[in-house]
Amino acid sequence: MNESYGIRIAADPIARLWSGVGDLLVPADIVEDAPARYIGGGAIINAPDFQQLINGTAERLEIRVSGVDAETVALARTEGPSVIGAKVHLVRFDFDDDWQLVDVEYEAVFRADKLTVSSTSEEGGRTRTITLSVGTENTNRSRAPIAFFTQQDQQRRSPDDLIFDHVSGITLGKSRRFGPK
Amino acid sequence: MPPVFDPARFNFDNQSIDIDGISTSGGTALSGITDYNQSDGGGFWRAEFSDGEIGGTSNADREDVLAWRSIVAQMKRGTRVVDVLFNDRWHQPVLGIQAYTNPAPDLISSSLFRSGGAVGTVTSVVNGQAGGLRATIITADILSERQLKGGERFTLLHSTWGPRAYQIATIEDGGLISFIPPIRGGVEVGDSIDFDTIACRMQLVSATDSLSLGLYADPSISFVEYMRSPDE
């Protein structure tokens, strides 16, 4: 038994990428109305781990694909608006020993949230990747709770409040004694 | 037509042409074994050549160097594909000797000799998807000097995917030929199988492969099978 994985992004048109080489045809099933073609070729750089749980916690994952492949550049540029909110399936393909497709399993469904193109300069060239951030239906974008209180932050909020005056003197692992000396 | 890279021309000391794969592991069990399964959809070709010896003061050396520079220029730092020849005739089921005209006639001879190649025709495609895509078992009519034993390589030429190499795994009863990797593009009954000129459409592994060359050089170069759909 062998397996490969793929990603189906229900943008317009639908983008289907899988981790193998060449085309892969999948028959019509609960997700596909008609037989569909997954495009291979290593465009997927990184498909994340995800929880496969009932009553699992809300997750946010990032799927990274090559930023110079024609198919994925189209995803980012021309189809960008339709990607937001699109359904994203993480797909597992099972093959028999002769590499014939025996099963298509939709392991998880996510909702595409935002698409970012990152382009970084490296020695000898640039690396451009497209990152699709996907979340489960109950992942939201609320702000993370404040984790650290600093005097600077507090001064910005209320300039005459001195409550965090000595925070900058506290370093990790240091204990402050309180009360009379 | 993509340029053709012929490793025979550059006298590589080491060459490794094989089917590579990516696997998923299930972690190491208490017994010490690790379970694997392959996640690349059937493997892909990788060809690595190192320690070539080219350059020198004779005319032939000069032409080798120019040929190297030309092919490097045509590959445009890996953005263009190249058809890599595998040149492993000894392990092919080839037919006897055949004369052909020396492409670069010298004082010694105007004709050279080579094996006549084994010719084959696909007679049925046993598995695979529509159009023979991803098939791994075929039957074929093959006229060759030696019997197929498994391990031989052959090339199928596809109209858009170009030449792709396959390696025979087993020859089973009834003439079933199983091979890896799965067929790229597709295969049909009547397609011809080439056991003589094994070639695969590949691209440079990275744009920064060593391509330096002076009067004498020992170049190294690595290719990986070109994976993208040609019609995208």
Side-chain angles (χ1 to χ4, degrees), chain B residues 145-160:
Chain B
E145 187 183 22
R146 294 165 193 254
Q147 208 180 353
L148 288 183
K149 289 177 174 304
E152 294 90 349
R153 290 164 179 175
F154 63 88
T155 295
L156 287 172
L157 186 64
H158 188 266
S159 56
T160 52

Side-chain angles (χ1 to χ4, degrees), chain B residues 113-230:
Chain B
F113 298 90
R114 66 178 175 193
S115 57
V119 287
T121 312
V122 178
T123 52
S124 72
V125 181
V126 177
N127 60 5
Q129 302 186 314
L133 176 69
R134 299 191 55 73
T136 55
I137 301 176
I138 57 172
T139 63
D141 248 348
I142 295 164
L143 178 66
S144 69
E145 187 183 22
R146 294 165 193 254
Q147 208 180 353
L148 288 183
K149 289 177 174 304
E152 294 90 349
R153 290 164 179 175
F154 63 88
T155 295
L156 287 172
L157 186 64
H158 188 266
S159 56
T160 52
W161 286 77
R164 297 287 168 151
Y166 304 95
Q167 181 158 311
I168 296 176
T170 56
I171 311 291
E172 285 164 36
D173 294 343
L176 295 181
I177 301 171
S178 73
F179 54 87
I180 52 171
I183 294 272
R184 320 295 193 206
V187 62
E188 285 173 9
V189 172
D191 282 358
S192 68
I193 301 176
D194 189 349
F195 283 94
D196 198 36
T197 310
I198 309 301
C200 192
R201 186 152 295 178
M202 305 182 106
Q203 67 181 128
L204 278 177
V205 168
S206 76
T208 51
D209 265 6
S210 163
L211 300 174
S212 64
L213 187 65
L215 177 56
Y216 298 98
D218 49 352
S220 298
I221 196 162
S222 300
F223 298 95
V224 68
E225 182 169 359
Y226 184 66
M227 300 182 182
R228 299 285 154 78
S229 300

Side-chain angles (χ1 to χ4, degrees), chain A residues 5-7 44-52 59-65 88-91 107-108 110 131-135:
Chain A
Y5 55 85
I7 294 166
I44 302 171
I45 293 173
N46 177 17
D49 299 332
F50 53 90
Q51 296 181 18
Q52 200 177 7
E59 287 189 278
R60 176 176 294 282
L61 307 172
E62 294 197 331
I63 298 165
R64 292 200 303 144
V65 295
V88 176
H89 285 87
L90 293 188
V91 195
E107 291 206 321
F110 294 96
T131 305
L132 179 66
S133 178
V134 300

Side-chain angles (χ1 to χ4, degrees), chain A residues 1-5 18-26 37 39-43 66 69-71 95 98-101 124, chain B residues 24 37-44 77 127-130 133-137 161 180 182 184 225-229 231-232:
Chain A
M1 179 73 91
N2 292 299
E3 63 181 36
S4 296
Y5 55 85
W18 77 294
S19 63
V21 180
D23 296 346
L24 178 68
L25 304 177
V26 300
R37 186 174 67 127
I39 294 167
S66 160
D69 177 39
E71 182 75 12
F95 297 94
D98 290 322
W99 282 107
Q100 301 306 306
L101 186 65
Chain B
T24 306
N37 65 27
Q38 222 176 325
S39 62
D40 53 26
F44 51 89
R77 282 177 61 84
N127 60 5
Q129 302 186 314
L133 176 69
R134 299 191 55 73
T136 55
I137 301 176
W161 286 77
I180 52 171
R184 320 295 193 206
E225 182 169 359
Y226 184 66
M227 300 182 182
R228 299 285 154 78
S229 300
D231 51 342
E232 295 304 330

Side-chain angles (χ1 to χ4, degrees), chain B residues 49-73:
Chain B
F49 305 97
S50 60
D51 289 336
E53 280 173 25
I54 54 174
T57 49
S58 76
N59 267 334
D61 292 337
R62 176 177 178 272
E63 289 192 4
D64 286 348
V65 171
L66 293 178
W68 177 272
R69 286 188 181 162
S70 163
I71 191 108
V72 166

